[in-house]
Amino acid sequence: MTEIAKSDLLQSTTTTSSSSSSAGKRRWTWLSSLRWIPTSTDQILAAEQRLLSSLVKTGYVQEQVNIGSGPPGSKVRWFRSSSNEPRFINTITFDTKKDDSPTLVMVHGYGASQGFFFRNFDALASRFRVIAIDQLGWGGSSRPDFTCKSTEETEAWFIDSFEEWRKAKNLTNFILLGHSFGGYVAAKYAFKHPEHVKHLILVGPAGFSDETDAKHEWLNRFRATWKGTILNHLWEANFTPQKIVRGLGPWGPNLVRTYTSARFGLRSQGATLDEDEGKLLTDYIYHKLAAKASGELCLKYIFSFGAFARSPLLHRASEWKVPTTFIYGTEDWMEYEGAQEARKKMNVPCEIIRVPKAGHFVFIDSPNAFHSATFYACRRFLSPEQDKVSFPDGLISA
């Protein structure tokens, strides 16, 4: 476990202890540049440290939480690999101002990792005990061989490994926030272990509808075209965006830089990244995308072509057991109407909040509005007079 203070991090990234360590760094950088894919787990964690130490003021503890190990061929799904090494979940826990602050656990989406919440940690840590993780197979967590062959096994990979992490951290009665695919995992986890989750916050969650919905008839028409046939074949072959980054080798960082500049700059629906944020986030995104394929290979088992869930959350809305708040950007490509349909069948409190001028990464596009939505969602844990808390100005109740 590593305790990280702001001053220590800044010092460690700007000075070296001796000329020999500087020479060692130069050799390491030179050797790593010769690799076709210039990355490693150490470089992911180093990029994460640079991002957070530069852009987040709140102190935090980083640790690799051991979720156990099992022999090759184990019936435990995430251990079915050629290695019997223990698995670790990369975890950061932020300092909190109050010992009795409610615990907020944050789960990232597909292809992302916990550092994507860099614009949110300071504000959220002022009211919560914030814990963010990299899901198994992503970011700085272990990347075991992905051997799942069905939707059920793939869901268990994420749900059960998260439960082992929860046990190792001895957590219960927490607020669980998941973004996109992380929202899908959070919801599925709450189905299985509702006793540990006191509130769900699903941010632009994936997996509510399936392709049989009449309004998605366009997809079947597209599949019938030669372009649709090729793309569907690539999807079923589990060809992921990360494979393109790896295939480009030393040119991969340029592709990531182009994506980051476009998505969070020129084509941003909200607040754009400044120069430092752009450089640090690009570096971080590259290393986590280019590392060994693992959790990313869940894609075709969880979703069919077009990102439609094979096991839609909407079909289980009547089984919902945990009060839930949905947060969507008004420009999010995930459709909030799916949450509205689910709410009709739920037997627990449910609210839907939309954030103007924000897309799928609402917490990056409009961080202040996202924080307001999150605080409002958790008003019964944060305010002694929750009934007197008014709906935040500028947000939309759906």
Side-chain angles (χ1 to χ4, degrees):
M1 181 184 296
T2 305
E3 186 166 1
I4 302 178
K6 181 73 174 178
S7 59
D8 295 336
L9 281 167
L10 290 174
Q11 182 178 4
S12 69
T13 56
T14 56
T15 63
T16 53
S17 59
S18 66
S19 59
S20 61
S21 64
S22 296
K25 272 190 172 183
R26 287 195 296 271
R27 285 195 299 272
W28 177 78
T29 302
W30 180 76
L31 289 172
S32 65
S33 68
L34 296 180
R35 296 198 201 107
W36 178 252
I37 304 175
T39 193
S40 66
T41 300
D42 288 343
Q43 285 173 281
I44 294 173
L45 295 175
E48 174 189 283
Q49 178 176 307
R50 288 191 294 272
L51 177 74
L52 298 182
S53 65
S54 299
L55 303 178
V56 179
K57 297 178 181 179
T58 307
Y60 66 92
V61 171
Q62 183 272 335
E63 59 183 324
Q64 293 285 350
V65 177
N66 191 332
I67 63 170
S69 62
S74 170
K75 292 182 179 180
V76 181
R77 291 173 176 84
W78 65 90
F79 294 139
R80 290 181 185 165
S81 70
S82 59
S83 168
N84 61 359
E85 295 180 356
R87 315 307 191 207
F88 297 89
I89 297 295
N90 186 38
T91 306
I92 51 176
T93 304
F94 287 85
D95 297 342
T96 181
K97 295 181 179 180
K98 298 180 180 179
D99 292 337
D100 60 347
S101 296
T103 297
L104 175 68
V105 177
M106 306 181 73
V107 183
H108 62 82
Y110 182 87
S113 39
Q114 33 136 308
F116 271 61
F117 296 112
F118 70 93
R119 279 185 164 179
N120 316 117
F121 289 136
D122 284 332
L124 296 179
S126 70
R127 308 288 297 277
F128 300 100
R129 177 195 179 203
V130 175
I131 305 176
I133 68 165
D134 288 337
Q135 296 193 70
L136 183 66
W138 273 319
S141 291
S142 296
R143 293 177 177 241
D145 299 336
F146 189 86
T147 56
C148 300
K149 299 298 181 184
S150 68
T151 299
E152 179 186 14
E153 287 186 356
T154 304
E155 287 183 354
W157 163 289
F158 295 106
I159 296 168
D160 293 352
S161 58
F162 183 86
E163 171 62 6
E164 292 305 309
W165 171 84
R166 183 203 65 78
K167 291 178 183 176
K169 291 291 290 180
N170 192 30
L171 291 175
T172 193
N173 201 34
F174 53 87
I175 301 159
L176 181 56
L177 182 152
H179 171 242
S180 194
F181 173 68
Y184 179 89
V185 172
K188 292 280 184 168
Y189 176 83
F191 282 138
K192 190 171 183 179
H193 302 284
E195 68 277 11
H196 300 304
V197 182
K198 62 182 179 181
H199 196 85
L200 267 178
I201 302 177
L202 305 183
V203 184
F208 265 86
S209 59
D210 61 22
E211 62 193 72
T212 62
D213 192 318
K215 63 184 177 182
H216 299 139
E217 180 59 31
W218 65 268
L219 179 63
N220 291 326
R221 292 195 298 270
F222 177 70
R223 275 181 177 160
T225 67
W226 68 269
K227 291 181 181 179
T229 299
I230 292 173
L231 290 175
N232 187 62
H233 175 75
L234 290 173
W235 186 282
E236 293 301 327
N238 229 349
F239 187 86
T240 65
Q242 290 89 329
K243 290 183 180 179
I244 299 175
V245 175
R246 296 187 196 101
L248 289 173
W251 294 277
N254 292 331
L255 176 63
V256 174
R257 188 176 301 110
T258 299
Y259 163 77
T260 305
S261 298
R263 172 57 187 85
F264 301 109
L266 297 176
R267 299 179 183 174
S268 174
Q269 288 89 357
T272 59
L273 301 180
D274 63 31
E275 184 176 355
D276 288 340
E277 288 176 323
K279 289 180 179 178
L280 290 163
L281 186 60
T282 295
D283 179 50
Y284 178 63
I285 291 175
Y286 170 73
H287 287 296
K288 70 176 188 57
L289 291 181
K292 173 188 172 182
S294 181
E296 75 190 63
L297 298 176
C298 74
L299 194 60
K300 79 167 190 175
Y301 298 108
I302 297 295
F303 304 108
S304 62
F305 176 58
F308 297 107
R310 297 188 187 275
S311 176
L313 293 169
L314 181 58
H315 293 180
R316 298 188 62 185
S318 62
E319 303 172 38
W320 222 269
K321 302 173 182 177
V322 177
T324 301
T325 300
F326 294 89
I327 300 175
Y328 292 87
T330 54
E331 309 304 317
D332 196 337
W333 63 278
M334 290 293 180
E335 299 171 343
Y336 73 95
E337 291 88 352
Q340 288 181 318
E341 288 299 312
R343 180 170 57 185
K344 296 175 184 178
K345 303 176 183 179
M346 291 182 183
N347 297 309
V348 295
C350 173
E351 57 193 1
I352 302 170
I353 301 174
R354 303 182 70 207
V355 178
K357 297 181 181 180
H360 191 52
F361 291 95
V362 56
F363 45 88
I364 295 179
D365 292 336
S366 188
N368 291 335
F370 171 75
H371 302 152
S372 294
T374 302
F375 294 147
Y376 182 76
C378 299
R379 59 194 179 279
R380 63 192 177 106
F381 312 115
L382 298 174
S383 174
E385 298 181 318
Q386 56 174 298
D387 294 336
K388 295 183 179 180
V389 178
S390 59
F391 190 79
D393 292 338
L395 301 183
I396 302 168
S397 177

